């Protein structure tokens, strides 16, 4: 690459874009850690995009109608931090850049949503940002259909690298975007031909442009260092009427001795490479030093959107009071006031009618009453609509033709669905939920983890949550999934026992605006266990006494979901034998752990024998069974020790010994 | 679809293929559960493939040089069971078909590897079979390069549906196959345009042929009900010199009233639809009844390969004694006799030299001595070769040009890598291992689960296994992964503390031929803790006493991996304060749980205070801390309660309180 030619072609552009390059190099050098090469390679694209196209106002970073900028190749985080600093985002100070990758700095190794304004999503695990972007674009289309293009009309721009496009999730996401014709989604592919292991010739020969063509995208190939080509490509992309891929030929670690090498992907930190590269760039300034004219040009860029923001605010005022209130409410993520009453009424009704149904069906009953009052929900399923019971009559289907529809047929794309839901939740204005079989939560797990890490209020509807799934067999029967999902910090896993608990679970999920919730629901029918109406949401305590011992309390049975009724049956048998038995329903470990110790001790008093019952592995249960500090109780567990099998559900519960009879025997053996 | 025209076009073919259709319908009806539509749609393709092309001998189902047939759309399991019965596989009796999806039957809802010969892999979770097939094809190429085409020369055939091709893993797999030019891989795409939610128009508009073209595949589109077109397409595919996609236009649930509908995807069980369809098929036989002429034609098909098998056996005999012995050994999965001595010698050496290195580096030291004596290993990494330390000097790179290379650059494709390794392990003759960062085990999790479910001896090399990863931050720092992976039944998770334990861990992994192993390795350097040479593999006990209390034993510290040295440091401080402290190293929960109770009690005696130390969440630890039945010990845990952060590793251990000092305080607070 002839750097001098680049410098000469457009000297102003060169200096502006090189401000990004040098901040990235200086910060990585200061941290002695990070990725210099990507920002050096993509600085030209970023400069053109941010200065000529991106609709934003650094002084109003929460502007709901701003364009979204998503750095899917998140290891190049310094590119984003440099842009936020240069354009004048208040919290992105030069000190933060100096403290790149240090404790308490907002400039984490990979961009962390919530650390600073302008970080639209947490990226780093490759492909996730692209997956989120599909959700951002869906949310925009949905809100535009609902509130009109005067107040909702923005683009989603993505930077993605070879890694993002190699990951499987990229296929799911681009296929969804193509099918749904998300024309306001524009992806810049940093086609630098380098991965960590070296040249991409080692690993890949996919023609990415042809691949995106095959999925219905508008595609272009350009020189990613040519500002005019970049500008023209963005113009063409905006007009294309399709999601658009701009494949940019770039040079990783441009202008350094590590250019176009695997080494250039990583941290360039030696004094030698820094001073060499400074020289090649014609950059005569010290570390973290941006000349005044460059900084002021960038700061103006940061204020470029101020007028548009003011005009937008006026248009918002013209929306009409009712619509305006609704817009403000959904953007703020506020729950409709009617929700609590709606859920309460359903709880009262089913406490009386006591339906003997699967909790996936209970979930549908809840959605039937919730969706009409909470019109910001955007539901969906990864091709298991009739099994997940996620579609209600009022929703309509979101499609290329109908943007008012509120149900997304995600196809057989669990990972793409989850990542898109993260994007929707982060975009705001909509509340996404989506379903699949619980065993396939594994396919979506990297995105579920990010929901939790970001505190994105996504609701996962995971049905067929045990061997109760029956004949489909062990590939489709979760046994370790409850444990594995509960292990994810900040993820609320709720496994309700009947329709009342399912209604309470949904209420918790919808009220939780700072964390994701995962509902674990049965395929098989269950008897009602909450047959007395209580206004209070008992599930919100995580665990509670469902049935008190009649005789002297000698045993406590602790169960969740489909096994709560097993516990009640065992209690009846034990009481008949004179063994006083309490039944504790534990729909949510996380919420129970969050109660104060006094409450936890009241629910699980020391002394009595404890038996846990759950059609899953024991991992994670011992805290409740054995006592939080040890020495509390003798305990046992009725559950699964290995994978399931293919047979009718009733046979499986019998053969694997998850029955009232086995529970009674276990209690007696411990007494 | 004009069924009469199909019947008339080739009446013999029609009756033969319809035998499959009717067995599938009858079995699903008997089970009142399953998927009729796929076998009805793909029976023509199966009939042509099995009768004219597939190299197999039903009487010698373990023939190492057989073609592999993989049903990636595993919900159509009855297609495979029908074929195995018809062609005369001994264990696939008519009774097994009658007991489809019942307890103890080998005819599970989805094909389960190990239930019957001819089930090459477990499928059902969509896309996995396709992913496995890439590994089968790599194994074939590798063995052919090593032993010659006279004894290794077979194809891998895959049936895949819309669901397989929508899943992200399909992208990773097809890109790998195209790049590696796996020309003996032939995929039949059941392009029926139907998924569970309905028409594929709801969810997808990818041009699959163009997509495979973009990845370097040979592609064809054919009528999937035309036997001559099918035959010609297979011929063309074999000659193409590339992996080949045959997109077959088919009709799901062909000839029934549910044809071409979402309903046709599922179980067709009513008497009405069965008798209607029988009539349309012109099939005048009762349930499970195959007319003699049809059965005998199929049985002949099953013997078709007998001559080829005999000829192959002769060629094998001509291989020369040494090569023949080696072939037999690797196919049988036998470990080289030299392995034990090699590992022992390394252990002895490092017990003396006591290198202070990261366990990922220890792992590389082990591989440097193992790979030369165990030449069937096939290593690799998902683009983190230099970080996972998985490549040794003797291996060479497996590529389209060099089939003798033993290292696969998998690219940024964790899921595709894991699924391919399953295929390699199932193929036999090679021993796959592959690396990525432990946090990205989430991307590979569906395939890791299948390794465990199948007992496939895959070795996962997961490095950067805690906040010790440092600056990359919480997206890259596993905290819940150890718990989540340990929760998978039959997966051996081993987290060694130093080089000696790492050598022992590798020995266990390589000796385990009936289960997968996952190694959890550090980024950061660790002191040697096993400084006295022991011939015995102590890690194989799962946990053991590393350092006994000097004073009266009041505390037991239990730690794994990088925290074992923390425990030793805490012990020193506690002993100095007169608190006798035992240190237990627990590299593998699963192996410790498999020891007899007496041993477990010796290692973890009741009474003394216990503190667990692991830079991860507590889930799964309480069994060891609190005592297996409760009431054993007062206990505490030093670990993570949430996600990590971006900062240098030492800072993180300090800030998150995973230190010897915190351990000492915890012990004292419990005494």
């Amino acid at each position: 690459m002839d750097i001098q030619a680049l410098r000469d072609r457009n000297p102003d552009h060169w200096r502006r874009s090189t401000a990004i390059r040098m901040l990235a190099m200086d910060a990585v050098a200061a941290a002695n850690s990070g990725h210099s090469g990507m920002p050096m390679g993509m600085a030209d694209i970023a400069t053109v995009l941010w200065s000529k196209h991106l609709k934003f106002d650094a002084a109003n970073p929460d502007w709901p109608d701003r364009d979204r900028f998503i750095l899917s190749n998140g290891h190049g985080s310094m590119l984003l931090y440099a842009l936020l600093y240069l354009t004048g985002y208040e919290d992105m100070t030069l000190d933060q850049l100096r403290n790149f990758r240090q404790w308490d700095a907002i400039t984490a190794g990979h961009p962390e949503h919530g650390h600073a304004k302008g970080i639209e999503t947490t990226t780093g695990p490759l492909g996730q940002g692209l997956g989120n972007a599909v959700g951002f674009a869906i949310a925009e289309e949905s809100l535009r259909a609902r509130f009109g293009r005067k107040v909702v009309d923005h683009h989603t721009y993505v930077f993605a690298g070879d890694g993002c496009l190699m990951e499987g999730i990229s296929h799911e996401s681009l296929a969804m975007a193509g099918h749904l014709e998300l024309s306001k989604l524009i992806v810049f592919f940093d086609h630098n031909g380098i991965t960590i292991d070296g040249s991409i010739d080692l690993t890949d020969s996919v023609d990415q442009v042809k691949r995106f063509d095959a999925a219905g995208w508008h595609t272009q190939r350009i020189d990613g260092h040519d500002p005019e080509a970049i500008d023209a490509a963005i113009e063409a992309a905006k007009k294309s009427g399709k999601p658009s891929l701009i494949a940019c030929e770039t040079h990783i670690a441009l202008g350094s001795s590590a250019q176009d090498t695997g080494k250039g992907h990583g941290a360039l930190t030696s004094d030698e490479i820094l001073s060499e590269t400074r020289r090649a760039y014609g950059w005569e300034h010290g570390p973290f030093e941006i000349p005044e004219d460059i900084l002021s040009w960038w700061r103006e860029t940061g204020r470029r959107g101020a007028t548009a923001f003011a005009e937008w605010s006026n248009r918002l005022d013209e929306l009409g009071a009712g619509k305006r209130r609704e817009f403000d409410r959904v953007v703020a993520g506020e729950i409709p006031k009617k929700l609590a009453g709606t859920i309460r009424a359903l709880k009262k009704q089913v406490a009386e009618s006591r339906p003997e149904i699967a909790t996936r069906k209970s979930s549908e009953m809840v959605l039937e009453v919730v969706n009409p009052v909470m019109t910001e929900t955007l539901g969906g399923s990864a091709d298991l609509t009739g099994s997940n019971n996620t579609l209600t009559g009022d929703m309509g289907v979101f499609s290329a033709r109908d943007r008012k529809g509120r149900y997304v047929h995600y196809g057989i794309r669990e990972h793409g669905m989850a990542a898109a839901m993260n994007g929707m939740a982060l975009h705001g204005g909509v509340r996404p939920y989506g379903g699949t079989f619980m065993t396939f939560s594994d396919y979506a797990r990297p995105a579920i983890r990010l929901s939790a890490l970001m505190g994105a209020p996504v609701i996962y509807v995971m049905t067929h949550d045990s061997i109760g799934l029956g004949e489909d067999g062990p590939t489709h029967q979760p046994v370790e999934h409850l444990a594995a999902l509960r292990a994810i910090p900040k993820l609320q896993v709720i496994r309700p026992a009947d329709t009342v608990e399912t209604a309470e679970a949904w209420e918790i999920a919808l009220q939780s605006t700072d964390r994701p919730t995962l509902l674990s629901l049965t395929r098989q029918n269950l008897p009602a266990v909450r047959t007395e109406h209580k206004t209070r949401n008992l599930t919100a305590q995580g665990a509670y006494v469902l049935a008190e011992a009649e005789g002297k309390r000698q045993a406590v049975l602790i169960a969740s979901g489909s096994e709560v009724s097993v516990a009640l049956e065992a209690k009846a048998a034990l009481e008949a034998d004179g063994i006083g038995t309490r039944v504790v329903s534990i729909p949510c470990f996380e919420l129970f752990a969050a109660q104060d110790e006094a409450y936890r001790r009241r629910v699980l008093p020391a002394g009595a024998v404890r038996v846990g019952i759950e059609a899953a592995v024991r991992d994670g249960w011992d805290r409740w069974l054995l006592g939080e500090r040890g020495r509390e109780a003798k305990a046992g567990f009725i559950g699964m020790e290995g994978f399931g099998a293919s047979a009718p559900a009733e046979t499986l519960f019998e053969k694997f010994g998850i029955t009232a009879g086995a529970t009674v025997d276990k209690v007696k053996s411990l007494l």
Side-chain angles (χ1 to χ4, degrees), chain A residues 459-515:
Chain A
I459 302 171
Y460 293 97
V461 182
M462 297 293 177
T463 71
H464 298 62
D465 72 346
S466 76
I467 52 167
L469 168 139
E471 291 89 343
D472 272 349
T475 52
H476 286 52
Q477 290 161 356
V479 295
E480 75 278 26
H481 296 76
L482 281 165
L485 291 162
R486 285 174 183 144
I488 299 178
K490 281 181 69 179
L491 175 66
Q492 288 179 151
V493 177
I494 313 184
R495 189 168 190 250
D498 71 356
T499 308
V500 172
E501 278 196 5
T502 305
E504 292 179 340
W506 267 106
E507 185 174 39
I508 295 161
L510 293 166
Q511 283 176 340
S512 299
T513 53
D514 65 347
R515 66 189 53 207

Side-chain angles (χ1 to χ4, degrees), chain A residues 506-555:
Chain A
W506 267 106
E507 185 174 39
I508 295 161
L510 293 166
Q511 283 176 340
S512 299
T513 53
D514 65 347
R515 66 189 53 207
T517 304
L518 188 142
L519 304 177
S520 167
L521 304 172
T522 67
R523 176 195 186 198
Q524 74 275 26
N525 289 343
L526 303 178
V529 299
R530 284 278 296 281
T531 51
E532 191 186 324
H533 178 57
K534 291 248 182 357
T535 305
R536 199 148 58 94
N537 187 325
L538 301 185
T539 300
Q541 298 168 308
Y544 60 92
V545 179
L546 176 67
E548 191 46 284
E550 290 155 33
K552 177 173 172 283
R553 185 175 61 227
Q554 298 180 61

Side-chain angles (χ1 to χ4, degrees), chain A residues 68-380:
Chain A
R68 302 311 198 265
F69 176 76
I70 294 172
L71 196 80
S72 191
N73 42 5
H75 53 274
S77 56
M78 265 312 302
L79 175 89
L80 179 55
Y81 304 149
L83 286 162
L84 296 177
Y85 163 67
L86 289 168
T87 55
Y89 278 74
E90 196 181 350
D91 42 8
M92 192 56 72
T93 63
L94 207 50
D95 267 354
Q96 290 292 348
L97 302 194
R98 285 187 217 272
N99 282 308
F100 180 50
R101 292 180 159 237
Q102 305 308 306
W103 182 260
D104 255 357
I106 62 176
T107 45
H110 294 79
E112 304 282 339
H113 178 69
H115 278 208
K117 301 290 185 186
I119 302 177
E120 303 286 4
T121 179
T122 295
T123 52
L126 292 173
Q128 296 293 333
L130 182 59
N132 300 158
V134 171
F136 275 95
I138 290 173
E140 194 265 353
E141 292 282 359
S142 174
L143 289 170
R144 183 148 39 88
R146 189 165 174 200
F147 293 101
R149 70 174 58 245
K150 288 192 175 167
V151 292
V152 183
D153 189 11
H154 54 267
H155 284 86
T156 303
Y157 293 102
V158 181
F159 278 17
D162 287 295
C164 295
L165 297 195
M166 278 200 219
E167 290 286 359
I169 189 176
S170 69
H171 170 57
E172 301 183 19
S173 300
L174 76 91
M176 282 168 52
H179 182 72
L180 294 172
E181 298 178 21
L182 300 173
S183 60
K184 308 195 83 172
L185 173 61
I186 298 176
V187 175
F188 298 87
F189 165 34
D190 185 27
H191 193 15
N192 57 40
I194 292 295
T195 71
I196 291 176
D197 273 7
S199 163
I200 199 159
D201 297 342
L202 282 175
T203 52
D204 199 34
S205 34
V206 171
D207 180 336
Q208 297 289 358
V209 167
K210 194 167 171 184
R211 174 187 172 212
F212 278 73
D213 274 341
W217 284 54
H218 173 257
T219 56
Q220 302 173 79
R221 285 184 210 264
I222 63 165
D223 172 358
H225 298 298
D226 178 348
E228 286 171 25
I230 296 163
D231 185 32
I234 299 172
E235 285 295 343
K238 283 179 177 173
K239 289 179 192 146
S240 70
K242 292 179 175 184
S244 189
L245 175 80
I246 306 176
C248 306
E249 306 290 332
T250 63
H251 295 275
I252 201 166
L254 179 88
S256 74
S257 57
Q259 181 183 305
D260 303 327
T261 67
K263 186 188 167 209
H265 179 91
L268 308 179
T269 56
S270 74
D271 288 347
E272 195 187 341
I273 203 163
L274 263 84
S275 60
E276 259 176 33
T277 311
R278 270 192 157 71
R279 264 198 307 283
Y281 286 176
W283 189 263
E284 293 166 352
H285 318 287
F288 299 104
E289 202 183 293
I290 307 296
E292 190 47 44
D293 66 319
I294 301 288
L295 187 61
S296 81
W297 180 85
W298 271 111
R299 289 287 152 95
E300 260 171 62
T301 285
R303 286 186 297 268
R304 200 172 46 82
T307 313
F309 175 73
E311 289 167 358
W312 174 85
S313 302
N314 291 337
R315 290 199 300 275
L316 189 66
D317 290 338
E318 291 159 11
L319 207 57
K323 216 165 180 184
R324 168 66 192 268
R325 234 184 350 258
E326 185 65 359
F327 184 85
D328 288 346
R329 182 184 72 76
V330 300
V331 164
E334 279 165 20
I335 305 305
K337 291 205 176 63
K338 282 173 70 180
L339 184 73
T342 302
I343 301 255
R344 209 157 47 231
L346 178 69
K347 278 173 61 179
K348 187 159 192 298
Q349 178 210 315
V350 294
E352 284 159 19
S353 63
R354 303 174 187 180
E356 190 155 328
I357 55 179
T359 47
R360 65 188 168 117
K361 189 75 191 162
S362 305
S363 171
E364 185 179 43
M365 284 181 72
V366 179
L367 288 170
E368 290 284 7
V369 299
V370 162
N371 281 332
V373 304
M374 192 156 170
T375 47
E376 64 269 36
T377 55
L378 263 182

